[in-house]
């Protein structure tokens, strides 16, 4: 009955065959004789599938109105209201295709939100974990913890040290959620948390992990450095971080893991860095694999980009930050730290007592253009952003209006000016001082929002290669893509080689045979290893990289280029993430109107996690 309509829908919408087949299958299950109800139900299923692919956990039916639905489709659906959508799902529930969660069904509909069963189960599981009553149980005697905190921190008694509060939060709870912007000392805080745990019990089994290989490598390096700076001898803390997939024992043939609720991890503490990149499904799998007695410490920046897959768990959890602590919790933290702790009039959830926001940046001072710009973008303060970018007295934050081909060429020229440093280092060091070359390449990076086109990774990398060739800094080979100096980024994990998505290496002459090429990568233990270009997993040239891929990385200088046409991918979280990759200077190349829209656009991930956490104990 709906075959012709499905074909029409396919031609007029960006939907996949999988969406169509799923909709047809479930519509047939309902077996309705009302064509309008069948069309509306099919539309809901297809819309839900599209939402999940876009990073949402569920579909809010109250948002399905004339403003967001194609006019022709809107008429085909007979101008439905919210009540009409509810009625359609009520009909489907009679056929056990939709449920309110009391019984399992392919689709779950609750509080005007439509879920696939798997997403709803994951969200409920995560909500139950983060609002469990056991979070209120302290892990050690307060007097012992106070002594430990006094050893870890030397207070000047003039300002509140939020790092100390964060450590106190983590040492007294099974779960700790620590959010902080760039330079707020997240890694230093975790190092002190781990030191406090080990001082209390040296036999504690601790594992650190991150979503990507690049993030795990950076965590290993920064955590090792932070622990070395602590004034304690013989602290036996393992600092080598692993990827979450490696931690859970990902199976290559499917989406399952060796470690799960039936075979849990043998650890006491799990630290997860870059937690904003962890999607709902992965968070649910982590929780299942953790023993009941294990602690979980989540570390991240709530304002950075969310995960690529569905869900924004860390951001949802951090929504509770502004609620403040319960009275008993505030009293406990005050005794431990000596600070006056903010109290919530009515805490929305017990999880609020496990959260801490690091507020002081040690990287950027109050006059830093990068710091001020990042904060203004984060808050969506367009006028403040414009004022900062127009202020020529801030040498570390610059703006160039992308209004002509000359400006586009300018960003390429600036990249060449920076990249020639590492390319000259290659020419002048016959013995290949590889560590120095890798370090010089890491000084600068061009970040973009898209993958394709003139303003995407592919187009920008090609243009930079041509310009470097023109300046005789590299020699392109028409028969082979490999040349001395080519930087590449790994796109697919290879556990056999120890290379992971996001790792960056440089192509050089092989150390012991200059007739061959090797791609050299830095490893978290300080070593550098070379691989034949033809053994590498999927990869791409890396003069330019997407902002998503840059998460977890830092560069002295960052160039940011935005497309001249607006895309749904553009939002202030994306721009904030790009700006905060810079340690010394940042330059933004963008059309003025596009920049305005980016600052005013905020990403929204539809989910019911916050509501589920609030209601889980009711």
């Amino acid at each position: 009955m709906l075959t012709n309509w499905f074909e029409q829908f396919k031609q007029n919408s960006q939907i996949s065959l999988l969406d169509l087949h799923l909709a047809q299958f479930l519509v047939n299950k309902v077996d309705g004789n009302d064509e309008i109800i069948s069309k509306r139900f099919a539309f809901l299923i297809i819309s839900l599938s599209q939402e999940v692919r876009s990073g949402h956990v569920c579909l809010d039916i109250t948002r399905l109105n004339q403003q967001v639905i194609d006019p022709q489709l809107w008429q085909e659906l007979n101008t439905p209201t919210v009540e009409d959508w509810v009625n359609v799902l009520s009909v489907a529930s009679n056929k056990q295709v939709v449920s309110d969660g009391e019984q399992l069904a392919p689709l779950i509909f609750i509080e005007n939100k439509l879920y696939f069963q798997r997403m709803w189960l994951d969200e409920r599981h995560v909500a139950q974990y983060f609002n469990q009553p056991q979070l209120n149980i302290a892990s050690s005697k307060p007097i012992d913890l106070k002594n430990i905190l006094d050893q870890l921190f030397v207070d000047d008694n003039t300002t509140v040290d939020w790092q100390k509060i964060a450590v106190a939060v983590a040492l007294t709870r099974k779960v700790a959620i620590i959010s902080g912007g760039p330079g707020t000392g997240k890694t230093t805080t975790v190092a002190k948390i781990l030191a406090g745990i080990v001082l209390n019990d040296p036999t504690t089994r601790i594992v650190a992990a991150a979503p990507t290989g690049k993030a795990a490598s950076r965590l290993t390096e920064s955590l090792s450095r932070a622990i070395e700076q602590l004034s304690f001898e013989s602290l036996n803390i393992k600092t080598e971080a692993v990827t979450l997939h490696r931690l859970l024992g990902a199976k290559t043939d499917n989406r399952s893991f060796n470690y799960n609720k039936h075979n849990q991890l043998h650890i006491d503490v799990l630290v997860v860095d870059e937690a904003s990149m962890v999607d709902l499904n992965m968070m649910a799998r982590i929780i299942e694999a953790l023993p009941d007695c294990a602690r979980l410490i989540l570390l991240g920046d709530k304002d950075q980009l969310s995960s690529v897959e569905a869900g924004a768990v860390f951001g949802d959890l951090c929504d509770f930050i502004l609620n403040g602590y319960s009275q008993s919790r505030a009293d406990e933290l005050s005794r431990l730290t000596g600070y006056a702790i903010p109290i919530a009039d009515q805490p929305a959830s017990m999880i609020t007592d496990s959260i801490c926001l690091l507020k002081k940046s040690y990287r950027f001072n109050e006059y830093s253009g990068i710091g001020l710009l990042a904060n203004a973008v984060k808050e969506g303060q367009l006028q403040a952003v414009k004022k900062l970018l127009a202020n020529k007295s801030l040498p570390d934050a610059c703006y160039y209006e992308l209004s002509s081909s000359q400006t586009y060429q300018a960003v390429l020229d600036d990249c060449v000016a920076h990249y020639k440093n590492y390319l000259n280092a290659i020419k002048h060091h016959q013995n290949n001082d590889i560590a120095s070359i890798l370090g010089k390449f890491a000084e600068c990076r061009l970040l973009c929002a898209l993958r394709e086109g003139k303003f995407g990774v592919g187009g920008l990398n090609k243009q930079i290669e041509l310009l470097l060739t023109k300046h005789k800094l590299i020699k392109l080979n028409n028969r082979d893509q490999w040349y001395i100096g080519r930087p590449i980024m790994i796109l697919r994990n290879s556990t056999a080689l120890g290379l992971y998505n996001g790792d960056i290496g440089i192509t050089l002459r092989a150390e012991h045979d200059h007739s061959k090429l090797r791609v050299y990568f830095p490893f978290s233990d300080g070593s550098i290893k070379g691989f034949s270009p033809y053994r590498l997993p999927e990869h791409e040239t890396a003069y330019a990289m997407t902002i998503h891929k840059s998460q977890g990385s830092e560069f002295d200088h960052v160039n940011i280029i935005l497309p001249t046409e607006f895309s749904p991918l553009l939002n202030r979280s994306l721009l904030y993430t790009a700006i905060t990759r810079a340690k010394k200077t940042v330059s933004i190349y963008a059309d003025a109107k596009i920049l305005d829209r980016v600052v005013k656009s905020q990403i929204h991930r539809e989910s019911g996690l916050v509501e589920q956490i609030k209601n889980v104990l009711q």
Side-chain angles (χ1 to χ4, degrees):
M1 180 173 62
L2 296 179
T3 302
N4 292 337
W5 185 73
F6 276 127
E7 286 301 317
Q8 179 187 348
F9 197 6
K10 180 182 175 182
Q11 293 173 7
N12 293 298
S13 305
Q14 293 181 343
I15 61 175
S16 69
L17 284 175
L18 181 62
D19 295 339
L20 288 175
H21 290 312
L22 177 63
Q24 286 176 318
F25 175 75
L26 292 178
V27 167
N28 290 338
K29 286 280 187 182
V30 173
D31 192 27
N33 295 318
D34 190 316
E35 185 175 356
I36 288 297
I37 285 182
S38 295
K39 284 183 177 180
R40 288 173 176 173
F41 187 44
F43 179 81
L44 287 174
I45 296 164
I46 291 169
S47 297
L48 174 58
S49 186
Q50 289 178 312
E51 288 289 272
V52 170
R53 272 203 308 278
S54 299
H56 302 281
V57 174
C58 55
L59 172 68
D60 186 344
I61 65 167
T62 64
R63 296 177 182 270
L64 292 178
N65 51 48
Q66 193 171 2
Q67 283 70 45
V68 299
I69 298 176
D70 177 80
Q72 184 177 346
L73 271 176
W74 180 253
Q75 293 303 319
E76 288 277 348
L77 295 168
N78 200 16
T79 62
T81 63
V82 173
E83 289 73 21
D84 290 329
W85 295 125
V86 173
N87 179 57
V88 168
L89 294 169
S90 177
V91 171
S93 68
N94 293 332
K95 301 293 184 178
Q96 298 183 329
V97 175
V98 178
S99 163
D100 62 359
E102 292 297 322
Q103 300 86 28
L104 291 183
L107 300 171
I108 306 294
F109 180 59
I110 185 169
E111 296 184 357
N112 286 331
K113 289 182 170 63
L114 183 64
Y115 296 81
F116 288 123
Q117 180 196 109
R118 177 176 61 86
M119 306 297 289
W120 182 77
L121 288 173
D122 282 348
E123 188 175 86
R124 185 179 66 170
H125 183 51
V126 171
Q128 289 171 338
Y129 177 82
F130 283 105
N131 211 14
Q132 57 186 302
Q134 296 95 305
L135 294 181
N136 285 328
I137 300 174
S139 60
S140 185
K141 296 179 181 179
I143 186 64
D144 293 336
L145 294 182
K146 189 176 188 312
N147 290 337
I148 288 172
L149 286 167
D150 289 342
Q151 293 180 68
L152 293 170
F153 293 90
V154 179
D155 292 332
D156 58 11
N157 295 321
T158 58
T159 57
V160 174
D161 188 339
W162 286 98
Q163 288 189 15
K164 185 175 184 180
I165 294 174
V167 174
V169 166
L171 292 181
T172 53
R173 285 297 179 271
K174 179 179 172 183
V175 170
I177 301 163
I178 301 169
S179 177
T184 51
K186 294 187 291 293
T187 307
T188 300
T189 302
V190 169
K192 291 186 177 182
I193 290 171
L194 299 185
I197 291 172
V198 171
L199 286 170
N200 192 56
D201 182 358
T203 65
T204 304
R205 297 166 298 180
I206 300 171
V207 173
T212 67
K214 181 65 175 176
S217 177
R218 278 190 52 79
L219 178 60
T220 298
E221 181 183 350
S222 56
L223 196 54
S224 299
R225 196 164 52 240
I227 289 174
E228 285 177 2
Q229 293 174 354
L230 296 178
S231 55
F232 295 99
E233 294 183 4
S234 66
L235 269 181
N236 185 23
I237 301 176
K238 181 182 176 182
T239 58
E240 183 181 358
V242 298
T243 65
L244 291 172
H245 282 82
R246 181 179 171 189
L247 170 75
L248 297 178
K251 297 180 181 179
T252 56
D253 56 340
N254 55 41
R255 291 169 59 92
S256 63
F257 299 96
N258 288 321
Y259 290 100
N260 48 53
K261 60 184 177 183
H262 303 296
N263 179 36
Q264 294 183 318
L265 295 162
H266 303 290
I267 61 175
D268 300 310
V269 178
L270 174 62
V271 178
V272 179
D273 193 22
E274 299 290 351
S276 66
M277 299 169 65
V278 180
D279 60 82
L280 176 65
N281 178 265
M282 176 57 78
M283 188 64 76
R285 304 293 79 77
I286 292 169
I287 290 167
E288 284 181 346
L290 281 177
D292 290 340
C293 60
R295 298 189 192 188
L296 176 63
I297 301 169
L298 299 180
L299 186 71
D301 184 346
K302 66 182 180 65
D303 299 299
Q304 273 192 31
L305 285 167
S306 300
S307 58
V308 175
E309 301 296 329
V313 178
F314 190 75
D316 286 344
L317 292 172
C318 289
D319 274 358
F320 293 97
I321 283 179
L322 299 178
N323 291 332
Y325 298 107
S326 65
Q327 179 69 62
S328 59
R329 181 62 162 154
D331 291 343
E332 178 186 31
L333 293 175
S334 291
R335 288 195 303 272
L336 292 171
T337 65
Y339 303 130
I341 305 298
I343 301 171
D345 295 332
Q346 207 169 22
S349 164
M350 285 186 291
I351 195 63
T352 60
D353 284 346
S354 295
I355 302 176
C356 185
L357 175 64
L358 301 177
K359 301 180 180 180
K360 180 181 177 181
S361 176
Y362 296 89
R363 183 190 304 169
F364 306 123
N365 61 41
E366 59 182 315
Y367 304 108
S368 161
I370 297 175
L372 293 171
L373 182 61
N375 285 328
V377 168
K378 176 179 67 177
E379 301 297 331
Q381 299 173 349
L382 180 57
Q383 294 307 314
V385 170
K386 287 183 173 181
K387 185 177 179 181
L388 286 166
L389 292 178
N391 186 352
K392 302 301 180 184
S393 65
L394 294 176
D396 58 337
C398 301
Y399 169 66
Y400 303 94
E401 185 169 358
L402 198 58
S403 56
S404 66
S405 59
Q406 285 89 347
T407 313
Y408 180 81
Q409 186 62 39
V411 67
L412 300 177
D413 290 338
D414 189 70
C415 289
V416 168
H418 281 92
Y419 290 146
K420 72 178 181 182
N421 293 330
Y422 92 91
L423 291 168
N424 284 332
I426 294 173
K427 288 183 179 181
H428 297 152
H429 291 77
Q430 296 300 319
N431 294 325
N432 282 350
D433 184 357
I434 300 174
S436 174
I437 291 168
L438 288 166
K440 287 184 181 297
F441 178 70
E443 291 174 357
C444 173
R445 196 69 82 250
L446 174 59
L447 304 182
C448 55
L450 309 177
R451 290 204 54 80
E452 305 299 333
K454 179 179 179 180
F455 297 95
V457 169
L460 290 165
N461 276 321
K462 189 64 178 176
Q463 290 300 318
I464 292 173
E465 279 186 328
L466 293 174
L467 202 53
L468 290 171
T469 303
K470 180 181 176 180
H471 287 270
K472 298 182 179 181
L473 291 167
I474 63 172
K475 292 181 181 180
L476 289 179
N477 186 338
N478 293 330
R479 295 172 299 173
D480 192 348
Q481 63 180 331
W482 294 102
Y483 55 85
I484 294 173
R486 183 191 179 200
I488 67 109
M489 173 186 283
I490 298 297
L491 301 178
R492 188 179 299 276
N493 294 343
S494 172
T495 53
L497 298 180
L499 296 175
Y500 297 94
N501 187 355
D503 285 349
I504 292 178
I506 302 290
T507 310
L508 301 168
R509 296 188 191 280
E511 286 186 283
H512 304 298
D513 185 350
H514 286 190
S515 67
K516 296 180 180 179
L517 295 181
R518 290 288 183 270
V519 185
Y520 289 92
F521 293 85
F523 282 73
S524 57
D525 61 359
S527 65
I528 296 172
K529 297 179 182 177
F531 301 88
S532 166
Y534 309 104
R535 290 185 62 205
L536 297 178
E538 184 181 352
H539 55 270
E540 66 184 6
T541 306
Y543 295 110
M545 61 193 294
T546 62
I547 297 168
H548 275 89
K549 288 288 187 182
S550 74
Q551 283 189 271
S553 298
E554 294 176 344
F555 312 99
D556 287 346
H557 178 70
V558 167
N559 281 328
I560 303 167
I561 188 166
L562 300 179
T564 51
E565 293 184 5
F566 191 76
S567 162
L569 293 173
L570 301 176
N571 57 73
R572 63 173 176 259
S573 291
L574 187 83
L575 183 57
Y576 169 81
T577 301
I579 292 168
T580 54
R581 300 310 91 206
K583 294 190 291 184
K584 295 182 180 179
T585 59
V586 63
S587 297
I588 299 175
Y589 295 79
D591 176 88
K593 291 181 180 179
I594 295 296
L595 184 61
D596 289 358
R597 288 190 66 180
V598 170
V599 175
K600 289 189 288 187
S601 299
Q602 180 59 302
I603 190 170
H604 173 74
R605 287 285 179 93
E606 197 66 59
S607 83
L609 183 59
V610 172
E611 289 79 7
Q612 286 218 50
I613 289 176
K614 290 178 180 178
N615 298 334
V616 74
L617 294 180
Q618 295 180 2

